[in-house]
Amino acid sequence: MTQQTTSSTRPLRVSRAQAPLSGSIRVPGDKSISHRALMFASLAKGTTHISGLLEGEDVLCTAAAMRALGADAVQEGPGQWRVSGPGVGQLKEPDNVLDMGNSGTAARLLSGILASHGMTSVMTGDASLRRRPMKRVMDPLAGTGATFLAREGGRLPMAIRGLADPKPLDYRLPVASAQVKSAVLLAGLNAVGETRVEEPVATRDHTENMLRHFGAEVSVEKTPDGGRIIRLQGRPNLVARDVAVPGDPSSAAFPLVAALLVAGSDITIFGVGLNPLRTGLFTTLQEMGAQLEILNARTEGGESVGDLRVRASALKGVEVPPERAPSMIDEYPVLAVAAAYASGVSRFCGVEELRVKESDRLAATVALLENNGVRTAVEGNDMVVYGTAGHIPGGGKVETHMDHRLAMSASVMGLVAEKPVEIDDTSFIETSFPQYLDLMNSIGAGFVA
């Protein structure tokens, strides 16, 4: 599994695991909550202490952006941060371009804040982020009165001229997107009156939870067709409140699936976030026959948390309904690896959102499997995986397209494939999961970079 490189890329060659995975681990803090904790703490009056903050490259870009906008965000220890902000509507115009790195979440959420402050700002990101569409937030946020100037297709770099007195929005999302919903709600913080967002399917609600945590008035109403209406009263007096960030369930997915697939494995993952709008993967894996137990369930900082015990399991194919997609949208690549190893056919319904992630994640996941001998099909907005009953051929090279989740999914596949799996670049794993290779090695993966 040794790989050498002389460039900034970090290829990896992964061979079949020679022994079961075992031990107890903690995964990094939840990326979605970490971004939001920094942003809301910067908009609140007073000093917020954040524990468990993910210190991957994406989140550090958010911290730098909030400092550039006038907040005081200081690391006081590993995962421990102190943030003091000037309050809603009081951020200052940045002196330079805001670099959001690889994070679509940060760029889209911050767009809502920038659109509702009387300033001009410019955002950019790395090569991957500059390919991702921002029009989905530009269009609704233009309703505040803000103006946007971006490259063709609404791609970064993007200039925003915000208003100090923005209009409140009443917006129905055409497709389920927690990022767009959150951008609209963040814009509504500095708008007089009520901001209303309707989503066709319930998406992760970390923004609503954190708004309440910092003192905003937020109501949520379920619609007869399974959607939700969120109402926010503008110009709240946000007050600093400490935030404990739970372990990221999207990061936990990789050691979890690896333990399910590598024969004889038995691991425990401590302190994982169990927000019911984020646990679609766990539900799906249990439907496939996974021995996955939730232990010591509790509530910390307004979020459900628990410990996961995972043991190697014989998995079978499953059909995942489209309404579950928002609760596991980032986990489909590693779920596809689990489905490839399972017996029977799996169908993932309504996964069109994968086409606008860090890469065209749908096409890239298909390539990940097919290059390693697994048959797949894309039928409309559904992805079909034909399980190999534990006999993934492997032997292929995976192009990650600067997508951290594809790289980690490929590494999990390599642990159970019959021939080694070549990964073109693992450097982008740092955006969401620092020390991923080391953590996996601590339970016996045997990765050698």
Side-chain angles (χ1 to χ4, degrees):
M1 281 173 276
T2 302
Q3 185 75 51
Q4 294 181 345
T5 178
T6 57
S7 69
S8 60
T9 62
R10 292 201 291 271
L12 184 69
R13 184 175 187 263
V14 182
S15 297
R16 194 177 184 92
Q18 299 301 302
L21 306 182
S22 63
S24 301
I25 56 174
R26 289 184 182 273
V27 296
D30 188 286
K31 188 167 132 179
S32 296
I33 295 176
S34 293
H35 284 306
R36 288 163 172 81
L38 288 167
M39 291 183 186
F40 281 105
S42 298
L43 293 168
K45 292 182 179 178
T47 299
T48 292
H49 295 276
I50 305 171
S51 59
L53 188 85
L54 170 65
E55 290 170 341
E57 294 171 3
D58 280 4
V59 175
L60 295 179
C61 285
T62 294
M66 301 319 296
R67 281 194 292 267
L69 293 166
D72 181 26
V74 179
Q75 182 189 31
E76 297 189 316
Q80 306 293 317
W81 285 66
R82 171 177 49 80
V83 183
S84 300
V88 172
Q90 302 303 310
L91 297 178
K92 71 177 183 70
E93 186 168 279
D95 293 332
N96 211 332
V97 174
L98 302 173
D99 185 350
M100 308 316 298
N102 188 246
S103 181
T105 298
R108 290 180 179 130
L109 268 60
L110 191 59
S111 295
I113 295 174
L114 298 173
S116 56
H117 282 72
M119 65 174 76
T120 298
S121 57
V122 179
M123 272 197 298
T124 191
D126 68 12
S128 172
L129 186 57
R130 292 196 302 273
R131 290 195 296 265
R132 297 176 64 184
M134 295 294 155
K135 190 170 170 52
R136 53 172 45 192
V137 292
M138 291 167 55
D139 287 348
L141 292 176
T144 64
T147 55
F148 294 82
L149 181 63
R151 292 195 299 154
E152 183 180 357
R155 294 175 295 127
L156 300 181
M158 177 172 68
I160 304 173
R161 176 59 183 167
L163 295 181
D165 190 20
K167 299 175 185 176
L169 298 173
D170 186 338
Y171 186 68
R172 188 182 194 283
L173 275 67
V175 296
S177 170
Q179 294 177 0
V180 177
K181 172 184 67 176
S182 297
V184 171
L185 291 172
L186 281 163
L189 280 174
N190 196 36
V192 175
E194 180 183 273
T195 291
R196 178 184 179 277
V197 186
E198 182 175 351
E199 55 184 359
V201 178
T203 65
R204 59 183 66 179
D205 59 354
H206 302 308
T207 296
E208 296 94 308
N209 291 342
M210 200 163 288
L211 280 166
R212 295 189 192 95
H213 184 68
F214 280 93
E217 184 180 338
V218 181
S219 66
V220 179
E221 170 190 344
K222 293 183 179 179
T223 62
D225 58 358
R228 301 192 313 162
I229 298 172
I230 302 99
R231 292 183 171 88
L232 166 69
Q233 299 303 315
R235 299 279 173 93
N237 182 28
L238 298 186
V239 178
R241 292 280 305 276
D242 291 351
V243 177
V245 180
D248 194 326
S250 296
S251 295
F254 302 100
L256 188 162
V257 170
L260 289 175
L261 304 188
V262 176
S265 296
D266 186 346
I267 69 168
T268 300
I269 310 173
F270 291 122
V272 178
L274 297 177
N275 183 303
L277 295 174
R278 292 286 302 282
T279 54
L281 176 70
F282 304 157
T283 300
T284 300
L285 289 171
Q286 288 171 330
E287 291 174 354
M288 296 175 74
Q291 296 186 74
L292 170 58
E293 296 180 77
I294 297 173
L295 309 173
N296 191 23
R298 55 203 185 271
T299 300
E300 295 179 357
E303 293 280 349
S304 297
V305 179
D307 306 328
L308 306 180
R309 185 184 179 192
V310 189
R311 285 172 284 180
S313 307
L315 302 182
K316 62 182 185 300
V318 69
E319 180 168 319
V320 183
E323 58 269 21
R324 194 179 294 170
S327 69
M328 54 185 293
I329 197 64
D330 287 328
E331 286 80 73
Y332 277 109
V334 76
L335 175 62
V337 172
Y341 198 71
S343 59
V345 180
S346 293
R347 178 180 289 269
F348 310 148
C349 302
V351 294
E352 61 270 21
E353 180 72 7
L354 291 176
R355 293 189 169 101
V356 293
K357 301 302 285 183
E358 279 82 342
S359 58
D360 179 343
R361 201 173 271 169
L362 180 56
T365 300
V366 167
L368 161 70
L369 298 183
E370 295 205 336
N371 289 351
N372 286 280
V374 179
R375 182 182 164 207
T376 70
V378 176
E379 300 174 357
N381 289 322
D382 298 352
M383 178 181 176
V384 182
V385 179
Y386 295 86
T388 64
H391 297 286
I392 295 175
K397 184 170 183 177
V398 177
E399 294 186 14
T400 56
H401 304 283
M402 302 169 68
D403 189 328
H404 48 122
R405 300 198 195 280
L406 283 170
M408 288 184 280
S409 299
S411 74
V412 172
M413 174 181 280
L415 292 175
V416 294
E418 294 173 354
K419 295 179 181 178
V421 172
E422 304 277 353
I423 306 170
D424 70 344
D425 190 8
T426 61
S427 61
F428 288 90
I429 292 175
E430 295 293 320
T431 65
S432 69
F433 202 144
Q435 286 80 55
Y436 167 73
L437 299 181
D438 291 341
L439 182 140
M440 290 295 290
N441 283 342
S442 75
I443 56 174
F447 295 144
V448 180

